[in-house]
Each structure stands twice: as C-alpha cells, then as structure tokens.
Amino acid sequence: MGFIRWLANIDRRIIFVVIGLAVAGPLLVPLNLPPVTVTSQARAIYDAVEALPTGSTIVVSFDYDPAAAPEVHPMALAFLRHCFIKKHKVIIMALWPQGAQLAVRAISEISSEFDLKYGVDYVNLGYKPGGAIVINLIGTSFAKAFPSDINQTPLNQLPLMSKVNNLKDVAMVMDLSAGDPGIPAWVMVANALFQRKVAGGTTAVSAPQFFPYLQSGQMMGQLGGMKGAAEYERLVKHPGLGSRGMDSQSVAHAVIIVFIIFANVAYFALRRKTPSGGPAAAGGAPPPAAP
Amino acid sequence: MDGLTFIGTWIAALLTLFIFSFLYKDNPFYKFAEYLFVGVSAGYFVAYNYHNAILPNLIRPLFAAGSVDVPKGAVLRLLQDGAWDWRILTILAGLLGLTMLFRFFPKAAWVSRYGIAFSVGLGAGLSFITYLQANCVAQVYGTILPPAVINNGVFDFGTSLTNTLLIIGVVSGLVYFYFSKEHRGAVGGVARVGVWFLMVSFGASFGYTIMARISLLIGRMDFLITDWIKGTLRFLGLM
Amino acid sequence: MPGFFERGDSPDFHELTPERRDELLDKIAQAVVKRNLTAPAVFFLESVKPLSFIGSQVMVFFDPLVRSVFNIKGYNDVRLALEDRGNLELLLLAIEKYDAEWRAKMREEKARRKTKAQ
Amino acid sequence: MRRELPMIVAFVAGLILILQFFIPALRDVSESVQNWVIVVAAFAIAVGAFNLLRVNYMKIRFRRADWPFSVVLIAGFVVMVVVGLSGLDFVREGGSAVPAAVGAPTAATAAAGAPTAGTAVAVAAAPRGALTVKLGQGIEVGTVFDWLFTYLMFPMSGTMFALLAFFVASAAYRAFRARTVEATLLLVSAFIVMLGQVPLGSFWVPAWWPFFLTPDWLKDKIMEIGNTAGQRAILIGASLGVVSTSLRILLGIERSYLGEE
C-alpha cells in the first residue's frame, strides 16, 4: 500500500533526474538501436526531389529559430545535401528573422562537401517581415519583395535570380517551419493560389496539425520533428544529429511511458480501495511544490 | 576552436546551466537568463528588421546614392536630376509605418489607425481568399469521400472504414464546436463523439509534443557534451 | 516625451489585485471544465509552466498590435497573471477543483436516473 | 472622419489585394502596396519592442517585484540594437580578415547609401595580434552581432524550450490518468504515438505478430484517421471564423481595430 501511494505521488524531481539520465546516457554511450522506419510522408519528399530534372529551382524557406534547431536544423542540412547532390538550384529565404542567420550556418556546415558557387548554385535572399503577404508577393515577383539578397547584393547581379521571376519559375517549395508564419501560409498561398508543390519540415509540436493538408494533397510530404530529420538523413545516407539523437529519444519515450503506467496502476489500485473515488480521483497527485 | 569561440562556448554553457537550474527551483540565475533572453531577442528583431526590411525596402529605393549595382534612389533622382520615379511612392510606406509610433501618445493615438488599418485591410483581403480556398473549401472537398470503396469488383474494407471514420470525425467535431452548449439529445450525442475524435487528436499532439521537447533536450545535451566539455578538453590540449 | 514614459496611471502598469486574479482564473477554469477539456488543459499548463514569464513578455511585445486589431477583454489581466508563475499552479488547482465538482454532479445525476428507472 | 478615413484605407487595401487575382492590370499597384506591408510590419516590430521597454522601464521606476531583472532586459536590448545597427565587426589586428566594401552601409551612412570602409575602434588597448572591434559590415556571420546571436540568443532560446522536456514528462505523469472516456482516449492515443515514433517501439516485434497490432501501424492509423479528422474539424471551424472576420473588416462592420471612442 505504501508503495502504491508512493507510485501515485512520485516527486517531480525524481522524474527530472530520470529524464536527464535517459537523454544524456545514450549520447555518451550509444545503444545502436536499429534505424528509424521511413514514413510515406518523408519518402514522398525524397522521391519528388529525385524526380525533378537536374538543375531545377527549389525554394527553401527557413522559418524557424534556435529553439527549434535540434529538430529542424538537421532536416535543413539533409534536404540541402539532397538538393546539391541532385545539382538542383536553391533559393533560400526566411520569414523568421533568426531563420536567415541559421541558413547561413547550414550552408557553411555542408559547403565543404560540394563545389558551390554563390549566386549560381544557391542564393540567400535573407528575411522579410509580413508572413503570408511576402509569399503572395513573390508569387508575382521575387524582386519586389527582395530588392537585394542577405548581403545587400541586388537580385539582378545574381545569375540564378535572372532566370527566376516569381514562384511560377520554381519547381517546388520546402518550408522548414517552427510555427507561424510557416507551413499554413505556404500551403494557403504558394499551393492554393499559385499551384506550387509544397513540402514541409516541421517541429513535432506542429506536425499533427498538417495531416489534413497531407490527406487532401495540399502538401506533398512532411518531415515531423527530429524523427523526421532522422528519416531524411537515412534517405540521403548521411547520418547527423537526427540519427544520433534517436537512441536518447527511444529511451526517454520508454521512461515516460513507464511513468504513465505507474500513475495509472496507482490510480486504479487506490480507487478500488476507496469506492468514493479515492484521493487520486480528486485530481491525481496532490500539487507538488512549485519549483 | 579559437579564443572567441572558446569564450563564447563557455558563456553559452553557463547560460544553459542557469536555465536548467530552474529544475531545482526558481532562482535568480534563471530569472537573469529569462530577462536577458527577452531583451536580447527584442533587440535582435529590431536590428534585423532594420537591415532586412527598412534598409532595402524603404531607405535604399528612396535615398541610394546610385552605383553600378544599386540604382539611384527616387528622391535623389527627383531632386538632383529632376526625373520622376514611381518608386517615390515608397514614402507612403514610411509614413504609414511612422503612424504606428503614435500609438504611445494618447492625444494623437488616432494617427496610428492608418498604419493599422492599412495592414489589417490588406491582411483581411488575403486571409479572406486563402482561408476560404485552402482551409475551408479544399478541406471540405477532401472530406467528401466514398464511404464504400470497391476496387476491381472487390469491397475494400480498409479504405471504406477509413473514409467513413474520417467523415464521422469531421462532422461530429464541427458539431461540437458550433453546439458546444447543447449537452443533451441527439446533438449532444454527436458532440460527444466529436469530443472523442478531438481527444484522439489531442493525444496524438501531446505524444508529438513530448517527442519534440525531448528532441530539444537532446540538442542541448549534445551541445554540453560535444561543444562544451569535449571542446574545452580539446582546446586545452587534453584530448 | 510626455505620454510615452509618464503614464504611470495607465492600466498597462497596474498590478493585478488578488480578487481580479481569482475571478479571472475561476472563469478560465470553468470554461475549460465545461468544454470537457480538463485532461488536455492540465497537461498543457503543467508542461509550459517555466515559460510563463516569457509568455507574458511576448504578450507585451504584441500588445500594441493585438489590441489594436482585436478587441480582447482581459488581455492585460492575463498578461499580468502570467508574469507570476505561481498563478499557473493556482489555475491548475482551480481546474482540478471544478473538474472534481463537475464529475461528482454527473455521478449523482446518473445515480438518480438509475433509481428513477427502477 | 478620424474613423471613416482609416476604414476606407482598409477597404481599398483589401480590395486591391483581392482584385489583383482577377484584374492583371492591378498587379503593379498591388505589388507596390504589398511591399509597403513589409515596411509597415518592420515598424510594427519596433512598436512592440518600444512597448516592452516601456513596461519594463515602469517596472523599474515603481520598483515592482523583480525590477532589477528588468534592468538586465533593457541592457540586453540596448546592446543588441547598438551592435546590430552599428555593425560592429571582429577584426584581427593587422589582418585583412574582413573585406569592407560590398553593400551594407552603416546606419550613419545608410541615408547616403554609400558603401564605406569601417572605422576601426579599439575596444581595449589591443596587444599584438589581439582582437579589435570595427564599425562596418552589418550583421553577417563573423560580426559581433552574429557572435551575440550564436552564444547568447541561441543557447538561451534553445534551453528555454529544452527545459520543457522535463515538465512535459511530469505533466504526462500528472495528467494522463484514465479517469474518464475522454482522458482514456487521450492517454491511449498519446501512448501509441510515442511508442510508434521511435525504433524502440518496433524492433522487438516478432515475425508472427499481426501487423495491425504493431505500434508503427497503429500510430499511422491514429494520425491518418483520428488526428486528421479532429485537426480538420479545427481547421474548418477556425477558417470560417477567419473568413467571416475578414469580410466584416473589409465591409467596415468590424471596427475594433480602430480602437475606442
């Protein structure tokens, strides 16, 4: 009985310590669990990039911030790698101010693997505020929204942009999104108004929201969270933080599941003892001391 | 790793630990990081918007001195060459933007209505079209599915069940939203089913949320282990 | 700059009175319970507790815009309530209290209906 | 007039945007007008930042709880803005590390638009080969601004949300109890999704195990049916709200954005 009561009211700091160990442990000593299974949504993006004729233009929008970087940044690296392996041209832009800065970082992390020429193989247009309006504007004119790139070079000085007037000249859009403005804006404007193929890489927090878009075909594919990043890393055969993190992810999930089981076992055991509902029924564990 | 990176990594690691100290209890170190974070972020937004929006989209089209790369600004063209340039209307954008600042002065707050009305009006125009088309019509269209599917003369049980459940879920969910006050009768029953579907979505969302937060923790732990501890050891020549 | 920094009397700078706070928390808690959203709300509130101050500052940041576009009553009160992390715990307790009351009522009603049927 | 004119501005702006899809001749006008939004949005962000400063300044002035931290907040803001606008640059003494020409004028010379070579400012008496800081380039990688982004903003922003991992775990423990039908559905759905997402959820599954009982398969079905239906109901419900509000704003029925009076 004492044990059951303990199970019903585990101190939150015990949970904290266990979670910390569950995450740090596998990073120090990898468990080498089998790789993630690739979902059809990730496969769809990969296949679409594969199917594009060499040299197609792809817009990659960096709409995330450092808070989402562990989830979305590995996707950015994996996706850019895939584009450059297939010799596609990449137009980078950002609807989040931190996104443009993270894009520069992403390019510098992978540039040694490819022979990239700025202005020819890729451009970084930088950031603009305005969200959906910016997408609507590049739907008719990139130069109107982005008179110059992130280094303040006018667009007409960039060979890549001389062939691209607006979204109609772009084969697909990949939005790396951590919230608003992000995937909804791209789907609603670039897909609905300008009929572009839109794919998304997003934090796991927002991924479930976009399943209706996937079902209706408004979005062609999606990478969800660090697991989505691991899937794409597996597809392009270049493991990174996404794959490295999956061991910790597995163990942490298992630990949380065990805690949930504990809570419910204790809840039902105590409820049977006290037919009126028991102490747990009045709202689960008593409020732990605020930290 | 050079000296600047070394110092930076240590500052970053200390700030990381300041924030994690909240796990023990709320304390001044956490508060320090919290307030600093808010201040630095706001400063970042302002500076970034100046360089990425105000400068290229407002100041340069009007006042650029003119070079091989950048055409001369519209104001300078008018003043120096007497030439008319439609880009001079960009001044209006600047004025609309400036009106926003009047919000802080009670007597002149009405001036700020122009900037707000302009953005709200334009936003409403775009939202009207996009939400109607992408989130309403396209989503309803995506729900109009055959509840019984026959493939090559064989009844496809899986797809039929999926379609049927999808239709029931969407309809009952909408009933829950629009008649949430009615808890009785047939409508109440349908709304109850709607809540069940919503609970499944919320559960899925929470499962994903847990996954997301764990991933972020993995990111920070990876920083502490790889960049900070191993980086420092390498910097000091111990590894 | 008169009006910019000197408006100490503006409601923007008031502190939240305990009465107003309790009223606000009660209202939110009741709305949550009535809509059958107890479990998701408890999970959500419990999980974002450390960020409540940052949330309040984000509300300060967007205040001039949000309040000029939408007429949200109590925006300022919610913002002030968020500044103090303890208030989230109070809200959680209020939700759990109303939830227990509400479920007790449902159980009673069920029992009554059963006895009536017999 | 103080209300009517802004209402007309809103109506015309919205109308231009809608009509551009039907009248190609309007495209030029509409593009310019949308470009203005970018400028106005940038000002709006400045307004938000001002408000943040104002509220925290008052907190200091009236010595409200935690006021010393508000000093930290304002200091962080000021440093970031000053560094960002002046474009301070790390430069190696005697080195030509930073080419100072292309584009990016400093705030001071921005109006003239003339690219200027930065003015070197030694932060401290610089010993041989030491770092100085230079006025110049704006905000690219390698600048002081970028350094502050990398070592202040990045770790704080990342850790704030990483901290939630711990709280999400304790929240799951506290909230996920199968008390009612609703709570049970929530719990089971979260449970399966968490298992189905990671390798740990599937690698132990023996070959004879029916596929429709694997966490992987169940998770896919939950996402594709239950989650899609629930999220779609939310999406459609919210879109109806947005569409009607937009229409009310354009037609001048909804006027709350014009403020009191």
Side-chain angles (χ1 to χ4, degrees):
Chain A
M1 196 61 205
F3 177 66
I4 296 285
R5 280 207 183 281
W6 179 81
L7 273 191
N9 301 306
I10 298 176
D11 189 272
R12 108 173 29 194
R13 283 169 208 177
I14 294 179
I15 299 178
F16 291 171
V17 171
V18 175
I19 291 294
L21 292 176
V23 169
L27 281 176
L28 290 165
V29 189
L31 305 176
N32 300 318
L33 290 173
V36 290
T37 43
V38 176
T39 57
S40 56
Q41 295 96 334
R43 168 72 65 182
I45 301 178
Y46 181 84
D47 289 345
V49 174
E50 285 285 309
L52 289 176
T54 306
S56 299
T57 311
I58 297 175
V59 167
V60 182
S61 189
F62 281 67
D63 307 335
Y64 64 99
D65 62 350
E71 292 181 273
V72 186
H73 203 65
M75 292 175 196
L77 299 179
F79 186 77
L80 287 176
R81 276 198 180 100
H82 193 197
C83 292
F84 293 139
I85 290 170
K86 298 301 291 181
K87 302 237 180 308
H88 295 317
K89 311 288 178 197
V90 175
I91 298 173
I92 290 169
M93 55 175 279
L95 301 176
W96 286 36
Q98 303 98 320
Q101 206 101 347
L102 290 166
V104 176
R105 213 152 295 243
I107 289 286
S108 77
E109 280 170 60
I110 62 169
S111 57
S112 63
E113 299 162 30
F114 306 94
D115 183 23
L116 296 179
K117 206 155 172 269
Y118 184 79
V120 178
D121 299 310
Y122 75 98
V123 292
N124 185 347
L125 300 183
Y127 152 80
K128 293 290 171 221
I133 298 272
V134 177
I135 305 173
N136 194 48
L137 188 46
I138 62 172
T140 54
S141 163
F142 267 104
K144 274 278 162 61
F146 295 90
S148 49
D149 72 355
I150 192 170
N151 304 316
Q152 317 285 359
T153 313
L155 286 208
N156 55 19
Q157 308 284 308
L158 302 166
L160 171 54
M161 294 314 289
S162 65
K163 285 174 284 176
V164 181
N165 278 323
N166 54 39
L167 277 182
K168 296 262 181 215
D169 303 320
V170 163
M172 73 177 269
V173 174
M174 175 68 173
D175 184 26
L176 301 163
S177 154
D180 192 39
I183 288 177
W186 281 101
V187 168
M188 284 194 279
V189 181
N191 176 268
L193 300 183
F194 296 99
Q195 295 83 43
R196 293 297 89 187
K197 284 188 201 163
V198 174
T202 180
T203 58
V205 172
S206 28
Q209 289 166 29
F210 305 131
F211 276 79
Y213 288 145
L214 291 165
Q215 188 269 350
S216 62
Q218 289 165 282
M219 245 173 106
M220 51 178 279
Q222 169 171 269
L223 306 175
M226 191 180 256
K227 196 234 171 193
E231 289 171 39
Y232 215 83
E233 285 172 357
R234 191 176 169 200
L235 286 167
V236 298
K237 300 187 182 64
H238 199 299
L241 178 64
S243 313
R244 195 148 37 97
M246 278 306 109
D247 282 358
S248 298
Q249 192 89 49
S250 285
V251 176
H253 281 206
V255 164
I256 294 174
I257 284 171
V258 168
F259 276 122
I260 296 175
I261 293 174
F262 280 176
N264 281 283
V265 166
Y267 168 66
F268 282 107
L270 290 176
R271 198 170 71 160
R272 206 159 302 140
K273 292 264 176 337
T274 41
S276 65
Chain B
M1 201 192 244
D2 61 7
L4 268 179
T5 315
F6 180 73
I7 297 169
T9 306
W10 268 82
I11 293 176
L14 284 181
L15 288 170
T16 303
L17 296 178
F18 278 13
I19 294 172
F20 278 142
S21 74
F22 183 79
L23 292 172
Y24 179 65
K25 64 177 204 189
D26 202 348
N27 65 70
F29 293 108
Y30 178 73
K31 282 222 174 86
F32 174 86
E34 199 178 38
Y35 280 72
L36 183 65
F37 169 58
V38 173
V40 165
S41 301
Y44 180 90
F45 291 154
V46 169
Y48 221 86
N49 272 283
Y50 173 76
H51 285 286
N52 276 260
I54 302 287
L55 200 53
N57 293 43
L58 176 66
I59 294 179
R60 232 178 270 126
L62 291 176
F63 301 108
S67 64
V68 197
D69 294 349
V70 190
K72 200 180 220 182
V75 170
L76 295 188
R77 280 189 67 186
L78 186 68
L79 295 180
Q80 295 174 350
D81 313 339
W84 178 256
D85 185 335
W86 281 105
R87 287 181 307 158
I88 204 152
L89 289 179
T90 312
I91 287 181
L92 284 174
L95 291 177
L96 282 171
L98 284 175
T99 63
M100 310 276 271
L101 301 177
F102 282 85
R103 215 182 170 276
F104 295 114
F105 307 102
K107 290 227 172 86
W110 60 273
V111 178
S112 72
R113 284 177 193 160
Y114 287 92
I116 288 160
F118 172 73
S119 328
V120 167
L122 210 64
L126 187 62
S127 302
F128 177 72
I129 297 183
T130 54
Y131 277 84
L132 194 61
Q133 194 172 337
N135 283 12
C136 192
V137 175
Q139 288 296 310
V140 171
Y141 191 75
T143 318
I144 303 175
L145 300 161
V149 181
I150 293 163
N151 264 342
N152 304 329
V154 185
F155 179 67
D156 183 342
F157 178 74
T159 314
S160 302
L161 187 64
T162 304
N163 289 357
T164 310
L165 285 173
L166 209 54
I167 297 168
I168 293 175
V170 174
V171 172
S172 61
L174 283 168
V175 168
Y176 166 77
F177 280 129
Y178 284 97
F179 306 99
S180 60
K181 286 195 181 117
E182 304 286 332
H183 268 298
R184 306 186 191 279
V187 177
V190 176
R192 189 93 201 269
V193 176
V195 178
W196 291 343
F197 272 92
L198 282 180
M199 286 300 151
V200 173
S201 341
F202 284 148
S205 287
F206 289 163
Y208 266 78
T209 301
I210 292 173
M211 169 164 124
R213 302 308 183 213
I214 297 289
S215 303
L216 300 185
L217 183 59
I218 293 171
R220 289 325 288 162
M221 288 282 192
D222 188 57
F223 163 79
L224 287 178
I225 295 170
T226 313
D227 293 320
W228 183 45
I229 299 177
K230 290 187 182 166
T232 301
L233 292 178
R234 226 171 285 130
F235 183 77
L236 300 174
L238 296 175
M239 208 172 124
Chain C
M1 271 194 283
F4 188 83
F5 281 135
E6 301 299 322
R7 279 168 62 199
D9 57 332
S10 144
D12 295 10
F13 306 122
H14 286 179
E15 274 175 301
L16 199 60
T17 60
E19 296 79 41
R20 178 72 192 107
R21 182 197 64 199
D22 292 345
E23 190 188 322
L24 184 73
L25 297 183
D26 271 7
K27 219 169 84 187
I28 300 176
Q30 279 171 353
V32 166
V33 171
K34 218 165 50 195
R35 285 180 177 71
N36 256 327
L37 296 176
T38 307
V42 169
F43 175 82
F44 176 76
L45 291 171
E46 179 78 22
S47 69
V48 297
K49 231 186 252 170
L51 293 192
S52 87
F53 172 76
I54 291 180
S56 80
Q57 298 303 294
V58 170
M59 285 180 81
V60 171
F61 194 92
F62 286 110
D63 172 278
L65 281 182
V66 172
R67 278 209 286 173
S68 29
V69 180
F70 306 102
N71 195 4
I72 302 175
K73 276 185 220 137
Y75 185 90
N76 215 26
D77 290 336
V78 172
R79 187 207 102 202
L80 287 167
L82 275 178
E83 272 196 27
D84 183 356
R85 262 184 281 283
N87 289 337
L88 278 191
E89 185 63 43
L90 292 180
L91 178 59
L92 276 169
L93 293 179
I95 290 176
E96 289 179 344
K97 189 185 89 188
Y98 285 117
D99 187 56
E101 275 174 20
W102 185 76
R103 276 185 304 128
K105 214 174 82 187
M106 286 288 124
R107 256 200 307 273
E108 252 170 52
E109 222 169 78
K110 223 181 196 171
R112 234 198 344 263
R113 247 179 286 152
K114 239 182 219 163
T115 47
K116 239 185 211 166
Q118 286 161 1
Chain D
M1 254 348 240
R2 282 184 178 184
R3 290 178 73 86
E4 281 74 17
L5 217 50
M7 254 167 62
I8 294 169
V9 169
F11 176 74
V12 172
L15 204 61
I16 290 175
L17 205 126
I18 294 176
L19 290 182
Q20 64 150 347
F21 293 105
F22 308 103
I23 308 172
L26 269 179
R27 189 133 289 179
D28 256 354
V29 181
S30 139
E31 281 175 2
S32 304
V33 169
Q34 290 179 71
N35 183 33
W36 298 357
V37 171
I38 294 176
V39 174
V40 176
F43 273 95
I45 284 163
V47 169
F50 269 136
N51 200 42
L52 191 70
L53 284 184
R54 194 170 71 112
V55 167
N56 278 283
Y57 167 79
M58 295 313 269
K59 226 168 139 179
I60 298 170
R61 216 182 107 141
F62 294 117
R63 299 287 187 269
R64 291 275 152 75
D66 291 336
W67 66 268
F69 294 106
S70 288
V71 179
V72 175
L73 188 152
I74 291 178
F77 177 85
V78 171
V79 167
M80 212 62 186
V81 169
V82 169
V83 168
L85 294 189
S86 62
L88 287 177
D89 236 333
F90 289 119
V91 182
R92 303 277 166 199
E93 186 79 350
S96 54
V98 182
V102 217
T106 62
T109 55
T116 38
T119 329
V121 179
V123 245
R128 63 197 155 75
L131 283 165
T132 51
V133 172
K134 192 176 114 161
L135 269 175
Q137 286 295 304
I139 51 183
E140 297 105 75
V141 169
T143 56
V144 180
F145 186 75
D146 181 62
W147 190 87
L148 290 174
F149 171 76
T150 310
Y151 297 113
L152 289 184
M153 237 177 109
F154 196 107
M156 286 193 287
S157 158
T159 316
M160 282 292 171
F161 286 86
L163 187 61
L164 297 191
F166 297 98
F167 285 83
V168 119
S170 90
Y173 170 74
R174 185 171 170 183
F176 289 171
R177 298 191 183 197
R179 250 182 270 159
T180 56
V181 185
E182 283 84 11
T184 311
L185 283 169
L186 187 87
L187 166 75
V188 170
S189 159
F191 208 89
I192 294 172
V193 166
M194 280 170 67
L195 263 181
Q197 282 289 6
V198 287
L200 199 64
S202 47
F203 83 97
W204 49 267
V205 173
W208 50 264
W209 192 269
F211 72 93
F212 55 87
L213 286 179
T214 54
D216 229 10
W217 190 87
L218 284 171
K219 176 213 75 179
D220 282 347
K221 290 303 148 195
I222 284 184
M223 296 315 290
E224 284 161 20
I225 303 172
N227 173 67
T228 301
Q231 296 286 357
R232 177 166 285 166
I234 296 174
L235 212 55
I236 295 175
S239 76
L240 292 175
V242 172
V243 168
S244 78
T245 310
S246 303
L247 203 59
R248 286 159 56 88
I249 287 176
L250 291 176
L251 299 179
I253 303 167
E254 170 72 52
R255 297 173 187 185
S256 58
Y257 67 92
L258 297 174
E260 301 89 29
E261 268 175 79

